[in-house]
Amino acid sequence: DFRDLIESGGYFVDKSLLIKELIDNANKVTLITRPRRFGKSLNFSMLKYFWENPECRAANTLLHRDVSHLFSDLAISRAGEEYMKEQGQYPVVFFSFRGAKMNDWDDTEQKLKKAISIEYERHRYLLEGEALTDSQRQYIRKIMSMEGSIAEYADALFNMTQFLNVHFNKNVIVLIDEYDTPIQQGYLKEYFDDVLNFFRPFLVEGLKGNDYLKRA
């Protein structure tokens, strides 16, 4: 966790200019491919803390505060005022699928649902506002409780960007870590079609032509 690392005085190789590179990039969607143990997940954690509106961390009151101090000694703080103005300005969705590496589709489906339900739980404050409809709140509860169908979970990325856009009146940052892990495992363990049938609508609807998306 980027915050834990910085606040505990741990060693951190400063890759914060990745933030500047992504802000300067006109593309809405960027695929970052690097070898294992290259720091991708830590960089995703850094991006989440940089962009995320503190209200997105409302479920944990200890984290519901400004975290700009985490970047005060890093290169991004010296890159220009226009970049630091972006800090803490957006709702962020962060899915990690590293745990969805199972030997069959049934277990993989449960792991995918669990990963999505955890992120929905992190944004459970959406249930308390009045911006969403009753049916939208009902959908959130179904996803959090892992009672939805796999087709409903395939809609979860697009739906969450819509819900957050309505709540914050801002477009959404999407971070997806290790989406390829269950896809590769599906290929190796012969449930490739099943895992593709999930990720194809999940990614296409969530990322392609999504009007609620700031960047992903």
Side-chain angles (χ1 to χ4, degrees), residues 149-166:
S149 67
I150 192 64
E152 288 173 310
Y153 280 85
D155 293 333
L157 174 54
F158 175 83
N159 286 343
M160 179 56 85
T161 61
Q162 180 186 30
F163 301 156
L164 290 173
N165 173 270
V166 170

Side-chain angles (χ1 to χ4, degrees), residues 111-216:
K111 286 290 188 178
L112 293 171
K113 287 182 175 182
K114 183 64 175 177
I116 293 169
S117 71
I118 288 172
E119 184 63 3
Y120 266 67
E121 183 72 36
R122 198 171 73 87
H123 295 282
R124 66 175 302 120
Y125 57 85
L126 291 170
L127 297 173
E128 301 166 6
E130 298 182 357
L132 302 186
T133 66
D134 289 341
S135 62
Q136 288 173 329
R137 284 193 285 268
Q138 183 179 359
Y139 173 85
I140 292 172
R141 291 188 184 96
K142 186 183 290 188
I143 296 299
M144 289 195 303
S145 63
M146 295 182 61
E147 295 176 350
S149 67
I150 192 64
E152 288 173 310
Y153 280 85
D155 293 333
L157 174 54
F158 175 83
N159 286 343
M160 179 56 85
T161 61
Q162 180 186 30
F163 301 156
L164 290 173
N165 173 270
V166 170
H167 182 86
F168 288 97
N169 196 29
K170 281 195 171 183
N171 280 10
V172 179
I173 303 285
V174 170
L175 305 173
I176 304 174
D177 195 15
E178 299 202 38
Y179 80 92
D180 57 321
T181 294
I183 295 176
Q184 179 178 336
Q185 188 72 355
Y187 177 76
L188 294 174
K189 299 297 181 179
E190 299 184 350
Y191 56 87
F192 190 56
D193 289 343
D194 291 315
V195 76
L196 273 192
N197 285 338
F198 169 79
F199 272 104
R200 189 176 285 116
F202 181 83
L203 294 173
V204 171
E205 293 176 21
L207 303 181
K208 186 176 181 180
N210 184 349
D211 292 335
Y212 306 114
L213 189 67
K214 174 69 176 177
R215 64 177 65 250

Side-chain angles (χ1 to χ4, degrees), residues 68-129:
S68 58
H69 65 282
L70 300 177
F71 302 91
S72 60
D73 293 327
L74 300 183
I76 189 63
S77 68
R78 302 183 292 275
E81 185 179 345
E82 66 273 23
Y83 297 104
M84 289 307 296
K85 283 183 177 179
E86 294 273 292
Q87 198 274 317
Q89 294 301 307
Y90 302 97
V92 172
V93 178
F94 185 11
F95 290 118
S96 174
F97 295 111
R98 69 167 63 93
K101 190 176 183 180
M102 309 302 288
N103 290 327
D104 59 63
W105 169 242
D106 288 341
D107 287 343
T108 300
E109 179 181 327
Q110 291 305 305
K111 286 290 188 178
L112 293 171
K113 287 182 175 182
K114 183 64 175 177
I116 293 169
S117 71
I118 288 172
E119 184 63 3
Y120 266 67
E121 183 72 36
R122 198 171 73 87
H123 295 282
R124 66 175 302 120
Y125 57 85
L126 291 170
L127 297 173
E128 301 166 6

